[in-house]
Amino acid sequence: MQDFVLDGNTKIRFESAEAETEPVRRAVNRFYRDMEMTLVPAGVGEEKGGCILLQRKEMETEAYVIEVCGDTAVVSAGSDLGFIYALLSISREYLGILPLWFWNDQALERREQVLIPKGKIFSRQYRVRFRGWFLNDEVLISHWDGGVNETYPWEMAFEALLRLGGNMVIPGTDQNSRKYAPLASDMGLWITHHHAEPLGAEMFARAYPQENPSFIECGDLFRGLWRDGIERQKKMHIIWNIGFRGQGDRPFWDDDAACDTPQKRGELISSVMKEQYDMVREAVPDAVFCTNLYGEIMELYRQGFLAVPDDVIMVWADNGYGKMVSRRQGNENPRVPALPDVHSGKQPHGTYYHVSFYDLQAANHITMLPNSMEFGSIVIWFAACRS
């Protein structure tokens, strides 16, 4: 028989220690769990079974090839995500585990074995470089243990993202983002940051509750938090968010009356972004950057008061109701267009699209959706491209 028999005896082996990283080890353990859920356990004394061999080769980022012949299936990949996607592909196509199996309570049935046909299986190529979601307003999963522990729901959310082809996450806000970023990184995901938490640093108001959160007054304190954030994350895969908003996700000039004109506000944000950019670049020479054109930042950009370094991904946000215009704030509803110009040069761009959103007045999940049902069913919520 030339087909590969996937059963309870199947083992996964590493060709070399080079492939045995923490994200890949987690992927292997996840695959064994998938086998336990869908295959009849190996019988006592039944030790012989097929082998899935993982070997690292020079390949494009996230690409993989699965070559099946007889009792061996060789998985070749050039990165951790390549191996992760390969094993998840087998899990979906042959074990029948759907991307949202946990969240949708998928009913699983055990089988004796599954046959994987002889031949080669090639990975798909994604048109968008960074694909992911932001676990925002995470109160519900922050107070639920999923029957295991407080970390488990977050792990299952990150797993679902990987199964859907994602590679990037904002792992919550404030304390949660720092708490769960290491887990997301250990699972192979890129990390990026909330637009009110530049560089993923601790919130100024939490670190210095007695100080006025003014960069003009307390610039060195802000810089210290940014340095701490860089040091904490510099060994992870990070898309470094640069920018400057006020505490509590609002315009910074609510706390800094000195910046009383759009020009002054834009000049301060531009200088802060350049300083953050240089700080990260010094510690991480090949760093990837993004900035969020969100709320009042969009207005300043459209007015010509913001200067953004050329290689920074500009992330354009919808208003929370499916329209690519700036979000309302209080009783203001400026509806500034939130899409790049057709002739935007080589600047990389991304989209920040809200599946569910509460703007302190109403939420899109309790009001009528302004778009068609077909458009509203799109799953991808946040994506950034480098080309």
Side-chain angles (χ1 to χ4, degrees):
M1 179 182 291
Q2 295 298 305
D3 295 341
F4 181 82
V5 178
L6 179 59
D7 60 17
N9 295 305
T10 300
K11 296 292 185 292
I12 301 177
R13 306 190 189 284
F14 294 92
E15 185 184 51
S16 66
E18 186 181 11
E20 198 171 352
T21 64
E22 179 63 20
V24 179
R25 278 194 295 269
R26 285 177 175 267
V28 169
N29 291 335
R30 185 164 52 243
F31 189 82
Y32 278 135
R33 182 209 61 197
D34 292 353
M35 289 173 55
E36 291 175 3
M37 294 193 300
T38 57
L39 297 173
V40 175
V44 177
E46 296 182 16
E47 297 182 355
K48 186 175 181 180
C51 172
I52 297 176
L53 181 66
L54 307 184
Q55 65 175 15
R56 192 171 288 270
K57 284 189 173 182
E58 288 292 328
M59 301 179 70
E60 291 186 11
T61 302
E62 303 180 2
Y64 64 81
V65 176
I66 303 171
E67 187 167 6
V68 177
C69 185
D71 60 0
T72 302
V74 179
V75 177
S76 301
S79 68
D80 291 348
L81 279 170
F83 289 118
I84 292 168
Y85 290 149
L87 292 175
L88 290 177
S89 174
I90 297 173
S91 178
R92 177 169 184 166
E93 297 301 322
Y94 298 100
L95 298 180
I97 297 182
L98 300 177
L100 299 176
W101 71 271
F102 172 79
W103 302 98
N104 289 339
D105 290 327
Q106 181 184 356
L108 300 170
E109 295 183 4
R110 285 197 174 96
R111 292 168 286 176
E112 292 266 348
Q113 63 182 28
V114 179
L115 297 181
I116 303 178
K118 176 185 177 182
K120 291 185 178 182
I121 303 171
F122 296 92
S123 59
R124 61 177 293 185
Q125 185 174 4
Y126 293 99
R127 297 181 64 183
V128 176
R129 176 67 182 92
F130 299 112
R131 313 166 302 277
W133 54 41
F134 177 13
L135 298 174
N136 195 11
D137 297 331
E138 61 271 21
V139 176
L140 294 179
I141 65 170
S142 296
H143 293 76
W144 176 54
D145 64 7
V148 180
N149 55 51
E150 65 177 356
T151 301
Y152 186 62
W154 293 81
E155 180 180 352
M156 300 313 293
F158 299 154
E159 176 183 318
L161 175 58
L162 289 167
R163 288 183 181 275
L164 288 166
N167 62 2
M168 173 192 68
V169 71
I170 303 177
T173 52
D174 194 19
Q175 292 178 312
N176 280 334
S177 63
R178 295 190 299 283
K179 182 177 182 179
Y180 294 109
L183 171 63
S185 180
D186 285 346
M187 292 179 69
L189 290 165
W190 285 75
I191 310 297
T192 190
H193 314 116
H194 186 289
H195 47 260
E197 299 174 14
L199 307 189
E202 184 174 11
M203 294 287 287
F204 184 93
R206 185 175 294 282
Y208 303 105
Q210 306 305 319
E211 300 287 346
N212 180 34
S214 164
F215 185 77
I216 295 174
E217 297 176 20
C218 305
D220 286 342
L221 297 182
F222 277 99
R223 294 183 182 98
L225 294 175
W226 298 338
R227 291 191 188 95
D228 291 344
I230 294 169
E231 184 63 28
R232 172 168 42 84
Q233 302 169 94
K234 66 182 183 181
K235 293 185 178 180
M236 300 180 185
H237 291 302
I238 302 292
I239 303 167
W240 299 90
N241 170 49
I242 60 175
F244 193 64
R245 294 201 82 204
Q247 303 301 289
D249 197 11
R250 60 183 182 175
F252 79 85
W253 49 87
D254 286 356
D255 304 302
D256 201 335
C259 292
D260 55 1
T261 68
Q263 182 175 354
K264 291 178 182 178
R265 295 163 181 172
E267 287 175 351
L268 178 61
I269 295 173
S270 297
S271 66
V272 165
M273 286 196 294
K274 182 62 168 64
E275 189 168 351
Q276 293 168 342
Y277 181 97
D278 292 340
M279 290 171 67
V280 173
R281 187 68 80 191
E282 182 178 356
V284 187
D286 60 347
V288 181
F289 295 90
C290 73
T291 191
N292 289 270
L293 301 177
Y294 189 75
E296 73 283 354
I297 307 300
M298 176 66 69
E299 295 177 70
L300 292 173
Y301 177 77
R302 288 298 190 195
Q303 292 168 352
F305 294 124
L306 280 187
V308 182
D310 291 342
D311 61 343
V312 174
I313 301 169
M314 298 179 67
V315 183
W316 303 75
D318 77 316
N319 67 342
Y321 295 86
K323 301 297 183 182
M324 295 306 298
V325 296
S326 61
R327 59 162 289 192
R328 64 181 178 179
Q329 300 178 84
N331 290 321
E332 295 182 14
N333 190 16
R335 302 185 70 82
V336 178
L339 282 173
D341 298 326
V342 175
H343 304 292
S344 56
K346 296 183 179 180
Q347 190 95 32
H349 298 282
T351 300
Y352 174 175
Y353 183 86
H354 298 79
V355 170
S356 180
F357 178 79
Y358 175 62
D359 70 351
L360 307 183
Q361 292 187 7
N364 66 357
H365 58 276
I366 60 174
T367 58
M368 184 174 289
L369 186 70
N371 301 310
S372 67
M373 291 303 294
E374 290 79 10
F375 183 74
S377 67
I378 293 175
V379 176
I380 297 176
W381 174 68
F382 180 106
C385 65
R386 293 287 291 166
S387 61

